[in-house]
Amino acid sequence: MSTEVALQSQVIQRAWKDPDFKTKLLSDPKAAIQEALGISLPGHLKLKAVEESADEMVLVLPPSPAAVMKTKVTPQAVWP
C-alpha cells in the first residue's frame, strides 16, 4: 500500500469517527490533517476535500502524463 493510500485511509476513518475533524476537513483540509495527524504537508500542495452522498459520486481525473512530463525522453540507442 502506498503512503498516499494509507494516509487517505487514515483520514477517511478519522472523519467517520470524529465529526469535528470531518467539519474541519471539509472546510480546511490541509490544516485539519496537519493538526489531527501531525503530518507536515508541503506549502505548494493544494488539497480539496469533498463528501460524496448516497446518490452522488466524485470522479477524480489525474493530470495527463503528457502534462506532467516536463522534458521529452530521447532514446539513447535504437534497436537495429
Side-chain angles (χ1 to χ4, degrees):
M1 178 182 296
S2 74
T3 303
E4 183 178 340
V5 172
L7 176 61
Q8 286 177 352
S9 178
Q10 188 176 4
V11 168
I12 290 167
Q13 290 178 23
R14 176 78 181 254
W16 286 342
K17 294 177 184 175
D18 183 346
D20 292 331
F21 173 71
K22 179 181 174 181
T23 300
K24 175 96 180 200
L25 183 65
L26 292 170
S27 66
D28 188 354
K30 195 171 185 180
I33 291 171
Q34 287 178 295
E35 290 170 14
L37 304 177
I39 296 171
S40 180
L41 300 171
H44 70 277
L45 180 66
K46 294 178 184 177
L47 189 58
K48 294 180 185 179
V50 295
E51 183 178 15
E52 291 182 337
S53 65
D55 59 350
E56 177 182 41
M57 183 178 85
V58 176
L59 177 62
V60 178
L61 299 176
S64 165
V68 175
M69 296 281 296
K70 295 184 180 181
T71 60
K72 294 190 178 198
V73 176
T74 306
Q76 299 297 315
V78 177
W79 188 264

Coordinates of all heavy atoms in Angstrom, one line a residue:
M1 N 0.8 -1.2 0.0 CA 0.0 0.0 0.0 C 0.9 1.2 0.0 O 1.8 1.3 0.8 CB -0.9 0.0 1.3 CG -1.8 1.2 1.4 SD -2.8 1.2 2.9 CE -3.9 -0.2 2.6
S2 N 0.6 2.2 -0.9 CA 1.4 3.4 -1.0 C 1.1 4.3 0.2 O 0.1 4.2 0.9 CB 1.1 4.1 -2.3 OG -0.1 4.8 -2.2
T3 N 2.1 5.2 0.5 CA 1.9 6.2 1.6 C 0.7 7.0 1.4 O -0.1 7.3 2.3 CB 3.2 7.1 1.6 OG1 4.3 6.2 1.8 CG2 3.1 8.0 2.8
E4 N 0.4 7.4 0.1 CA -0.8 8.3 -0.2 C -2.1 7.5 0.1 O -3.0 8.1 0.8 CB -0.8 8.7 -1.6 CG -1.9 9.6 -2.0 CD -1.9 10.1 -3.4 OE1 -0.8 10.0 -4.1 OE2 -2.9 10.5 -3.9
V5 N -2.2 6.3 -0.2 CA -3.3 5.5 0.0 C -3.5 5.2 1.5 O -4.6 5.3 2.0 CB -3.3 4.1 -0.8 CG1 -4.4 3.2 -0.3 CG2 -3.3 4.4 -2.3
A6 N -2.4 5.0 2.2 CA -2.5 4.8 3.7 C -3.0 6.0 4.4 O -3.8 6.0 5.3 CB -1.1 4.3 4.2
L7 N -2.5 7.2 3.9 CA -2.9 8.5 4.5 C -4.4 8.7 4.2 O -5.1 9.1 5.1 CB -2.0 9.6 4.0 CG -2.5 11.0 4.4 CD1 -2.4 11.1 5.9 CD2 -1.6 12.1 3.8
Q8 N -4.8 8.5 3.0 CA -6.2 8.7 2.7 C -7.1 7.8 3.5 O -8.1 8.3 4.0 CB -6.5 8.4 1.2 CG -6.0 9.4 0.2 CD -6.2 9.0 -1.2 OE1 -6.5 7.9 -1.5 NE2 -5.9 10.0 -2.1
S9 N -6.7 6.6 3.7 CA -7.5 5.6 4.5 C -7.6 6.1 6.0 O -8.6 6.1 6.6 CB -6.9 4.2 4.5 OG -7.6 3.4 5.3
Q10 N -6.5 6.6 6.5 CA -6.4 7.1 7.9 C -7.3 8.3 8.0 O -8.0 8.5 9.0 CB -5.0 7.4 8.3 CG -4.8 7.8 9.7 CD -3.3 8.0 10.0 OE1 -2.4 8.0 9.2 NE2 -3.0 8.2 11.3
V11 N -7.3 9.2 7.1 CA -8.1 10.5 7.1 C -9.6 10.1 7.0 O -10.4 10.6 7.8 CB -7.7 11.4 6.0 CG1 -8.7 12.6 5.8 CG2 -6.3 12.0 6.2
I12 N -9.9 9.2 6.1 CA -11.3 8.8 6.0 C -11.9 8.2 7.3 O -12.9 8.5 7.7 CB -11.5 7.9 4.8 CG1 -11.3 8.6 3.5 CG2 -12.9 7.2 4.8 CD1 -11.1 7.8 2.2
Q13 N -11.1 7.3 7.8 CA -11.5 6.6 9.1 C -11.7 7.6 10.2 O -12.7 7.5 11.0 CB -10.6 5.5 9.4 CG -10.6 4.3 8.5 CD -9.6 3.2 8.8 OE1 -9.2 3.1 10.0 NE2 -9.3 2.4 7.9
R14 N -10.8 8.6 10.3 CA -10.9 9.6 11.3 C -12.1 10.4 11.1 O -12.8 10.8 12.1 CB -9.6 10.4 11.3 CG -9.6 11.6 12.2 CD -9.2 11.2 13.7 NE -9.2 12.3 14.6 CZ -8.1 12.8 15.1 NH1 -6.9 12.3 14.8 NH2 -8.2 13.8 15.9
A15 N -12.4 10.8 9.9 CA -13.6 11.6 9.6 C -14.9 10.9 9.9 O -15.8 11.5 10.4 CB -13.6 12.1 8.1
W16 N -14.9 9.6 9.7 CA -16.1 8.8 10.0 C -16.4 8.8 11.6 O -17.5 8.8 12.0 CB -16.0 7.4 9.5 CG -16.2 7.3 8.0 CD1 -16.7 8.2 7.2 CD2 -15.8 6.2 7.2 NE1 -16.7 7.7 5.9 CE2 -16.1 6.4 5.9 CE3 -15.2 4.9 7.5 CZ2 -15.9 5.6 4.8 CZ3 -14.9 4.1 6.5 CH2 -15.3 4.4 5.1
K17 N -15.3 8.8 12.3 CA -15.4 8.7 13.8 C -15.5 10.0 14.5 O -16.0 10.1 15.6 CB -14.2 7.9 14.3 CG -14.1 6.5 13.9 CD -12.8 5.8 14.4 CE -12.7 4.4 13.9 NZ -11.4 3.8 14.3
D18 N -14.9 11.1 13.9 CA -14.8 12.3 14.6 C -15.5 13.5 13.8 O -14.9 14.0 12.9 CB -13.3 12.6 14.8 CG -13.0 13.9 15.5 OD1 -13.9 14.8 15.7 OD2 -11.9 14.1 15.9
P19 N -16.7 13.8 14.2 CA -17.5 14.9 13.5 C -16.8 16.2 13.4 O -16.9 16.9 12.4 CB -18.8 15.0 14.2 CG -18.9 13.8 15.1 CD -17.5 13.3 15.3
D20 N -16.1 16.6 14.5 CA -15.3 17.9 14.4 C -14.2 17.9 13.4 O -14.0 18.8 12.7 CB -14.8 18.2 15.8 CG -15.9 18.5 16.8 OD1 -17.0 19.0 16.4 OD2 -15.7 18.3 18.0
F21 N -13.5 16.7 13.4 CA -12.4 16.6 12.4 C -13.0 16.7 11.0 O -12.5 17.3 10.1 CB -11.7 15.3 12.6 CG -10.7 15.0 11.5 CD1 -9.5 15.7 11.4 CD2 -10.9 14.0 10.6 CE1 -8.6 15.5 10.4 CE2 -10.0 13.7 9.6 CZ -8.8 14.4 9.5
K22 N -14.1 16.0 10.8 CA -14.8 16.0 9.4 C -15.2 17.4 9.0 O -14.9 17.8 7.9 CB -16.0 15.1 9.5 CG -16.8 15.0 8.2 CD -18.0 14.1 8.3 CE -18.8 14.1 7.1 NZ -20.0 13.3 7.2
T23 N -15.7 18.1 9.9 CA -16.1 19.5 9.6 C -14.9 20.3 9.2 O -14.9 21.1 8.2 CB -16.8 20.2 10.8 OG1 -18.0 19.4 11.1 CG2 -17.2 21.6 10.5
K24 N -13.8 20.2 10.0 CA -12.6 21.0 9.7 C -12.0 20.5 8.4 O -11.5 21.3 7.6 CB -11.6 20.8 10.8 CG -10.3 21.4 10.6 CD -10.2 22.8 11.2 CE -8.8 23.4 10.9 NZ -8.5 24.5 11.8
L25 N -12.0 19.2 8.1 CA -11.5 18.6 6.9 C -12.2 19.1 5.7 O -11.6 19.4 4.7 CB -11.7 17.1 7.0 CG -11.1 16.3 5.8 CD1 -9.6 16.4 5.8 CD2 -11.5 14.8 5.9
L26 N -13.5 19.3 5.8 CA -14.3 19.8 4.6 C -14.0 21.3 4.4 O -14.1 21.8 3.3 CB -15.8 19.5 4.8 CG -16.1 18.0 4.7 CD1 -17.6 17.8 5.1 CD2 -15.9 17.5 3.3
S27 N -13.7 22.0 5.5 CA -13.5 23.5 5.3 C -12.1 23.9 5.1 O -11.8 24.8 4.3 CB -14.1 24.2 6.5 OG -13.3 23.9 7.7
D28 N -11.1 23.2 5.7 CA -9.7 23.5 5.6 C -8.9 22.2 5.7 O -8.4 21.9 6.8 CB -9.3 24.5 6.7 CG -7.9 25.0 6.5 OD1 -7.2 24.5 5.6 OD2 -7.5 25.9 7.2
P29 N -8.9 21.4 4.6 CA -8.4 20.0 4.7 C -6.9 19.9 5.1 O -6.5 19.1 5.9 CB -8.6 19.4 3.3 CG -8.9 20.5 2.4 CD -9.4 21.6 3.3
K30 N -6.1 20.9 4.6 CA -4.7 20.8 4.9 C -4.4 21.1 6.4 O -3.7 20.3 7.0 CB -4.0 21.9 4.1 CG -2.5 21.8 4.0 CD -2.0 22.7 3.0 CE -0.5 22.5 2.8 NZ 0.0 23.5 1.8
A31 N -5.1 22.1 7.0 CA -4.9 22.4 8.4 C -5.5 21.2 9.2 O -4.9 20.8 10.2 CB -5.6 23.7 8.7
A32 N -6.6 20.6 8.8 CA -7.2 19.5 9.6 C -6.2 18.3 9.7 O -6.0 17.8 10.8 CB -8.5 19.1 9.0
I33 N -5.6 18.0 8.6 CA -4.7 16.9 8.5 C -3.5 17.2 9.3 O -3.0 16.3 10.1 CB -4.4 16.5 7.1 CG1 -5.6 15.9 6.4 CG2 -3.2 15.5 7.0 CD1 -5.5 15.7 4.9
Q34 N -2.9 18.4 9.2 CA -1.7 18.7 9.9 C -2.0 18.7 11.4 O -1.2 18.2 12.2 CB -1.2 20.1 9.4 CG -0.6 20.0 8.0 CD -0.1 21.3 7.5 OE1 -0.9 22.2 7.3 NE2 1.2 21.5 7.3
E35 N -3.1 19.3 11.8 CA -3.4 19.4 13.3 C -3.7 18.0 13.9 O -3.2 17.6 14.9 CB -4.6 20.3 13.5 CG -4.3 21.7 13.3 CD -5.6 22.6 13.3 OE1 -6.6 22.2 13.7 OE2 -5.5 23.8 12.8
A36 N -4.6 17.2 13.2 CA -5.0 15.9 13.8 C -4.0 14.8 13.7 O -3.9 14.0 14.6 CB -6.3 15.5 13.1
L37 N -3.2 14.8 12.6 CA -2.3 13.7 12.4 C -0.8 14.1 12.5 O 0.0 13.2 12.4 CB -2.5 13.1 11.0 CG -4.0 12.6 10.7 CD1 -4.1 12.1 9.3 CD2 -4.4 11.6 11.7
G38 N -0.6 15.4 12.7 CA 0.8 15.8 12.9 C 1.7 15.6 11.6 O 2.9 15.5 11.7
I39 N 1.0 15.6 10.5 CA 1.7 15.5 9.2 C 2.0 16.8 8.6 O 1.1 17.6 8.4 CB 0.9 14.6 8.2 CG1 0.8 13.2 8.8 CG2 1.6 14.5 6.9 CD1 -0.2 12.3 8.1
S40 N 3.2 17.1 8.2 CA 3.5 18.4 7.6 C 3.4 18.2 6.1 O 4.1 17.4 5.5 CB 5.0 18.8 8.0 OG 5.3 20.0 7.4
L41 N 2.5 19.0 5.5 CA 2.3 18.9 4.1 C 3.0 20.1 3.4 O 3.1 21.2 4.0 CB 0.8 19.0 3.8 CG 0.0 17.8 4.4 CD1 -1.5 18.1 4.2 CD2 0.3 16.5 3.7
P42 N 3.6 19.9 2.2 CA 4.3 20.9 1.5 C 3.4 22.2 1.3 O 2.2 22.1 1.0 CB 4.7 20.3 0.2 CG 4.5 18.8 0.3 CD 3.5 18.6 1.4
G43 N 4.0 23.3 1.4 CA 3.3 24.6 1.2 C 2.7 24.8 -0.1 O 1.6 25.3 -0.2
H44 N 3.3 24.2 -1.2 CA 2.7 24.4 -2.5 C 1.6 23.4 -2.8 O 0.9 23.6 -3.8 CB 3.8 24.2 -3.6 CG 4.3 22.7 -3.6 ND1 5.2 22.2 -2.8 CD2 3.9 21.7 -4.5 CE1 5.4 20.9 -3.1 NE2 4.6 20.6 -4.1
L45 N 1.4 22.5 -1.9 CA 0.3 21.5 -2.2 C -1.1 22.0 -1.9 O -1.3 22.5 -0.8 CB 0.6 20.2 -1.3 CG -0.4 19.1 -1.4 CD1 -0.3 18.4 -2.8 CD2 -0.2 18.1 -0.3
K46 N -1.9 21.9 -2.9 CA -3.3 22.3 -2.7 C -4.1 21.1 -2.4 O -3.9 20.0 -3.1 CB -3.9 23.0 -4.0 CG -3.2 24.3 -4.3 CD -3.7 24.9 -5.6 CE -3.0 26.2 -5.9 NZ -3.5 26.7 -7.2
L47 N -5.0 21.2 -1.5 CA -5.8 20.0 -1.1 C -7.2 20.3 -1.0 O -7.6 21.4 -0.4 CB -5.2 19.6 0.3 CG -5.7 18.2 0.9 CD1 -5.4 17.1 0.0 CD2 -5.1 18.0 2.3
K48 N -8.1 19.5 -1.6 CA -9.5 19.7 -1.6 C -10.1 18.4 -0.9 O -9.7 17.3 -1.2 CB -10.1 19.8 -3.0 CG -9.6 21.1 -3.7 CD -10.2 21.2 -5.1 CE -9.6 22.4 -5.8 NZ -10.2 22.5 -7.1
A49 N -11.2 18.6 -0.1 CA -11.9 17.5 0.4 C -13.4 17.7 0.1 O -13.9 18.8 0.2 CB -11.8 17.5 1.9
V50 N -14.0 16.7 -0.5 CA -15.4 16.7 -0.8 C -16.1 15.5 -0.2 O -15.4 14.5 0.0 CB -15.7 16.8 -2.3 CG1 -15.2 18.1 -2.9 CG2 -15.1 15.6 -3.0
E51 N -17.3 15.6 0.1 CA -18.1 14.5 0.7 C -19.1 13.9 -0.3 O -19.9 14.7 -0.8 CB -18.8 14.9 1.9 CG -19.5 13.8 2.6 CD -20.1 14.2 3.9 OE1 -20.3 15.4 4.2 OE2 -20.5 13.3 4.7
E52 N -19.0 12.7 -0.7 CA -20.0 12.0 -1.5 C -21.2 11.8 -0.7 O -21.2 11.6 0.5 CB -19.5 10.7 -2.1 CG -18.3 10.8 -3.1 CD -17.9 9.5 -3.6 OE1 -18.1 8.5 -3.0 OE2 -17.3 9.5 -4.7
S53 N -22.3 11.7 -1.5 CA -23.6 11.3 -0.8 C -24.0 10.0 -1.5 O -23.4 9.4 -2.4 CB -24.7 12.4 -1.0 OG -25.0 12.5 -2.4
A54 N -25.1 9.4 -1.0 CA -25.6 8.1 -1.5 C -25.9 8.1 -3.0 O -25.8 7.1 -3.6 CB -26.8 7.7 -0.7
D55 N -26.3 9.3 -3.5 CA -26.7 9.4 -4.9 C -25.7 10.3 -5.7 O -26.1 10.8 -6.7 CB -28.1 9.9 -5.0 CG -28.3 11.3 -4.4 OD1 -27.5 11.7 -3.7 OD2 -29.4 11.8 -4.7
E56 N -24.5 10.4 -5.2 CA -23.5 11.2 -5.9 C -22.2 10.5 -5.8 O -21.8 9.9 -4.8 CB -23.4 12.6 -5.2 CG -22.4 13.5 -5.8 CD -22.3 14.8 -5.0 OE1 -22.4 14.7 -3.8 OE2 -22.2 15.8 -5.6
M57 N -21.4 10.6 -6.9 CA -20.1 10.0 -6.9 C -19.1 11.1 -7.4 O -19.4 11.9 -8.3 CB -20.0 8.8 -7.9 CG -18.7 8.1 -7.9 SD -18.7 6.7 -9.0 CE -18.4 7.4 -10.6
V58 N -17.9 11.2 -6.8 CA -16.9 12.1 -7.2 C -15.9 11.3 -8.1 O -15.4 10.3 -7.6 CB -16.2 12.8 -6.0 CG1 -15.1 13.7 -6.5 CG2 -17.2 13.5 -5.2
L59 N -15.7 11.8 -9.3 CA -14.7 11.2 -10.2 C -13.5 12.1 -10.3 O -13.6 13.3 -10.6 CB -15.3 11.0 -11.6 CG -14.4 10.4 -12.6 CD1 -13.9 9.0 -12.3 CD2 -15.1 10.4 -14.0
V60 N -12.3 11.6 -9.9 CA -11.1 12.4 -9.9 C -10.3 12.1 -11.1 O -10.0 10.9 -11.3 CB -10.3 12.2 -8.6 CG1 -9.0 13.0 -8.7 CG2 -11.1 12.5 -7.4
L61 N -10.0 13.1 -11.9 CA -9.2 12.9 -13.1 C -7.7 13.3 -12.8 O -7.5 14.4 -12.5 CB -9.7 13.7 -14.3 CG -11.1 13.4 -14.8 CD1 -11.5 14.4 -15.8 CD2 -11.2 12.0 -15.2
P62 N -6.8 12.4 -12.9 CA -5.4 12.7 -12.7 C -4.9 13.5 -13.8 O -5.5 13.5 -14.9 CB -4.7 11.4 -12.6 CG -5.6 10.4 -13.3 CD -7.0 10.9 -13.2
P63 N -3.8 14.2 -13.6 CA -3.2 15.0 -14.7 C -2.7 14.1 -15.8 O -2.4 12.9 -15.6 CB -2.0 15.7 -14.1 CG -1.8 15.0 -12.8 CD -3.0 14.3 -12.4
S64 N -2.8 14.6 -17.0 CA -2.3 13.8 -18.2 C -0.8 13.6 -18.1 O -0.1 14.5 -17.7 CB -2.6 14.6 -19.5 OG -1.9 14.1 -20.6
P65 N -0.4 12.4 -18.4 CA 1.1 12.1 -18.3 C 1.9 13.1 -19.2 O 3.0 13.5 -18.8 CB 1.2 10.7 -18.8 CG -0.1 10.1 -18.5 CD -1.1 11.2 -18.7
A66 N 1.3 13.5 -20.3 CA 2.0 14.4 -21.2 C 2.2 15.8 -20.5 O 3.2 16.5 -20.7 CB 1.2 14.6 -22.5
A67 N 1.2 16.2 -19.7 CA 1.3 17.5 -19.0 C 2.3 17.4 -17.8 O 2.9 18.4 -17.5 CB -0.1 17.9 -18.5
V68 N 2.4 16.2 -17.3 CA 3.3 16.0 -16.1 C 4.8 16.0 -16.6 O 5.7 16.5 -15.9 CB 3.0 14.8 -15.3 CG1 4.0 14.5 -14.2 CG2 1.6 14.9 -14.8
M69 N 5.0 15.3 -17.7 CA 6.4 15.2 -18.3 C 6.9 16.6 -18.7 O 6.3 17.2 -19.6 CB 6.4 14.2 -19.4 CG 6.0 12.8 -19.1 SD 7.4 11.9 -18.3 CE 8.6 11.8 -19.6
K70 N 7.9 17.1 -18.1 CA 8.4 18.4 -18.5 C 9.5 18.3 -19.5 O 9.8 19.3 -20.2 CB 9.0 19.1 -17.2 CG 7.8 19.4 -16.3 CD 8.3 20.1 -15.1 CE 7.1 20.3 -14.2 NZ 7.2 21.0 -13.1
T71 N 10.1 17.2 -19.7 CA 11.1 17.0 -20.7 C 10.8 15.8 -21.6 O 10.1 14.9 -21.2 CB 12.5 16.8 -20.1 OG1 12.4 15.6 -19.3 CG2 12.9 17.9 -19.2
K72 N 11.2 15.9 -22.8 CA 10.9 14.8 -23.7 C 12.1 13.8 -23.6 O 13.2 14.2 -23.4 CB 10.9 15.3 -25.2 CG 9.7 16.2 -25.4 CD 9.5 16.5 -26.9 CE 8.2 17.4 -27.0 NZ 7.7 17.4 -28.3
V73 N 11.7 12.6 -23.6 CA 12.7 11.5 -23.5 C 13.3 11.2 -24.8 O 12.6 11.0 -25.8 CB 12.0 10.2 -22.9 CG1 13.0 9.1 -22.9 CG2 11.4 10.5 -21.6
T74 N 14.6 11.2 -24.9 CA 15.3 10.9 -26.1 C 16.0 9.6 -26.0 O 16.7 9.4 -25.0 CB 16.4 12.0 -26.4 OG1 15.8 13.3 -26.3 CG2 17.1 11.8 -27.7
P75 N 15.7 8.7 -26.9 CA 16.3 7.4 -26.8 C 17.8 7.5 -26.9 O 18.4 8.2 -27.7 CB 15.7 6.6 -28.0 CG 14.9 7.5 -28.7 CD 14.8 8.8 -28.0
Q76 N 18.5 6.7 -26.1 CA 20.0 6.7 -26.1 C 20.5 5.7 -27.2 O 21.6 5.8 -27.6 CB 20.5 6.3 -24.7 CG 20.1 7.2 -23.6 CD 20.7 8.6 -23.9 OE1 21.8 8.8 -24.2 NE2 19.8 9.6 -23.7
A77 N 19.7 4.8 -27.6 CA 20.1 3.8 -28.6 C 18.9 3.3 -29.3 O 17.7 3.4 -28.8 CB 20.8 2.7 -28.0
V78 N 19.1 2.8 -30.5 CA 17.9 2.3 -31.3 C 18.3 0.9 -31.6 O 19.4 0.6 -32.1 CB 17.7 3.2 -32.6 CG1 16.6 2.6 -33.5 CG2 17.4 4.6 -32.3
W79 N 17.3 0.0 -31.5 CA 17.5 -1.4 -31.8 C 17.5 -1.5 -33.3 O 16.7 -1.0 -34.0 CB 16.3 -2.2 -31.2 CG 16.5 -3.7 -31.4 CD1 16.1 -4.5 -32.4 CD2 17.3 -4.5 -30.5 NE1 16.4 -5.8 -32.2 CE2 17.2 -5.9 -31.0 CE3 18.0 -4.3 -29.3 CZ2 17.8 -6.9 -30.4 CZ3 18.6 -5.4 -28.7 CH2 18.5 -6.7 -29.3
P80 N 18.5 -2.2 -33.9 CA 18.7 -2.3 -35.4 C 17.6 -3.1 -36.0 O 16.9 -3.8 -35.5 CB 20.0 -3.0 -35.6 CG 20.5 -3.4 -34.2 CD 19.6 -2.9 -33.2

